[in-house]
Every structure is written in C-alpha cells, then in structure tokens.
Amino acid sequence: MSISVVIADDHPVVRTGFAELLDTQADFEVAGTAADGAEAVRICHALLPDVVLMDVRMPGMGGIEATRLLTGPGGPKVLILTTFDLDEYVYDALRAGASGFLLKDVTAERLFDAVRVVAAGDALLAPAVTRRLIAEFTRLGPGPGPAAGSLSALTPRETEVLRLVAEGLSNVEIAARLVVTEETVKTHVSRILHKLGLRDRTQAVVTAYESGLVVPGTRP
C-alpha cells in the first residue's frame, strides 16, 4: 500500500526537492504541497494524507499551530522539518503532537525511513534525541500538561516503564534494566499509549514530564 504525503514548506525549492525524492519510491505518493500552515491544514482535510512533512517557520500560520490542528484522532502523522537540531520551535511542535523531526539536510535514505516509520505509527525519536528533549524540558520548564491523576490507569510496572522511556532508554535498555524481554517492553509501551490515549513514544515522554512523573534534572 502506498503512503500519501503532504509537504508544507514556504521555500519552493525545498518542497520540490522533497517531492522529487519521495517520488522515486514506489510506496510513496506525494498528495500535495503547501506554502504555509493554513494551506497545509486545508489540503490535509481535503486529501487525508498519512504523513505531513511540516516546516516550523512559515509566513502566516506556522507549522506548530498547523500541527496542533492536524494531529487529532484520525489525523495524519506530522514530521517536523527544521534547519536546527531540536531548537525551541521543534520542542513546541512535539508538544503540539508531532511524531518526530528531521533536519532539512537529511539524506534521501533517512527521509524514506522516517516517513515509513511514522506512517507505521512509531515515533521518530531515538534515545539520544529523547535525552536532548529532556534537556529542553530542563531549560524551558514544564508547561500545562495532563494531571498526574491521568496516570492512575497504569499498573506499577507500566508506570516504571514510562519513567524509563522518559529517561531516554531504548526498549533494549529498558529490558536489560527490568530483566525482561524486549517484546515484553514493547507490550508495556503499547498498553501505556492505549491507556493514556497517546499517539506515540514522543507524546509519552512529554506526558511523563508534564504530569510530574519525572522531574528534569533527576534520575529514577
């Protein structure tokens, strides 16, 4: 099955370049392009793409607000495009519901892999990136997030797994820490996302910090 993609960027060269790259792959279909966030929202509501490559800084409605409007139930997955590695705008976009981010100088293979990963429902947020995201929480401080009581649906083990995810550990590292199989960790993560109504691992990290389960600068 093909993965439909919308590309939102105010630079025509960037839009054209990403579109041409994606068109080289048989499993991708570039459904449309947009020059700003408002146009991206309109196109996505009309075409219902699987993934949006979303620039952050665009005239008029920017990528963060567009991401917030698009990432509801049944909405597309959003990959943020940025020139800088996890700048403050990317942090805000992740909080708004983005599934991950890509640098604009990404290689073709990395771009293809990223689109496929988020289209499959996974977050494009490697453990090293999670640790940088944690640094942003430390610098910017917590924002308005879900109440701590929203975590009450989790079992003690699921709460422990969520805390380790927020610490930046991979599934393999969590499995070693808890002396369980990697498949067991994947099951726990899946149940955490379902119980908390979260889209992916990225939102799980954000929720862990904004609920107060994990405090920046401390270790479990």
Side-chain angles (χ1 to χ4, degrees):
M1 295 180 62
S2 64
I3 299 169
S4 60
V5 182
V6 164
I7 303 166
D9 195 290
D10 60 324
H11 294 290
V13 173
V14 174
R15 294 197 304 271
T16 301
F18 278 115
E20 290 179 348
L21 282 175
L22 293 174
D23 279 338
T24 66
Q25 303 299 295
D27 57 335
F28 293 148
E29 175 192 357
V30 178
T33 63
D36 57 47
E39 186 179 10
V41 171
R42 289 194 301 271
I43 289 176
C44 289
H45 285 165
L47 302 179
L48 304 177
D50 300 305
V51 177
V52 182
L53 298 181
M54 182 79 74
D55 189 19
V56 174
R57 296 174 239 191
M58 295 181 286
M61 181 187 292
I64 295 171
E65 181 59 25
T67 297
R68 189 174 293 111
L69 293 173
L70 288 171
T71 53
K77 304 297 192 304
V78 175
L79 267 173
I80 296 298
L81 296 172
T82 180
T83 306
F84 304 103
D85 193 355
L86 202 63
D87 64 20
E88 61 183 299
Y89 298 101
V90 172
Y91 169 86
D92 290 339
L94 291 174
R95 176 178 278 163
S99 293
F101 70 94
L102 285 174
L103 296 179
K104 287 189 177 180
D105 62 356
V106 64
T107 65
E109 289 305 318
R110 181 60 172 160
L111 171 65
F112 303 152
D113 180 63
V115 172
R116 292 178 180 122
V117 165
V118 299
D122 294 324
L124 191 74
L125 200 62
V129 176
T130 304
R131 295 183 180 105
R132 292 199 296 276
L133 179 59
I134 290 169
E136 287 295 285
F137 271 106
T138 303
R139 184 177 71 83
L140 299 174
S150 66
L151 303 184
S152 61
L154 303 182
T155 65
R157 177 48 63 96
E158 288 166 352
T159 301
E160 186 175 15
V161 170
L162 177 58
R163 184 179 291 110
L164 294 174
V165 168
E167 186 183 340
L169 272 66
S170 67
N171 287 346
V172 172
E173 292 169 331
I174 294 173
R177 177 79 64 89
L178 301 181
V179 195
V180 297
T181 66
E182 184 181 356
E183 192 60 36
T184 297
V185 174
K186 290 180 180 179
T187 299
H188 284 313
V189 172
S190 178
R191 288 175 178 168
I192 290 166
L193 298 181
H194 176 73
K195 288 182 177 181
L196 299 183
L198 303 174
R199 291 167 61 91
D200 52 38
R201 198 181 187 96
T202 305
Q203 289 193 340
V205 174
V206 172
T207 296
Y209 277 86
E210 295 192 335
S211 68
L213 176 64
V214 179
V215 178
T218 65
R219 306 290 280 186

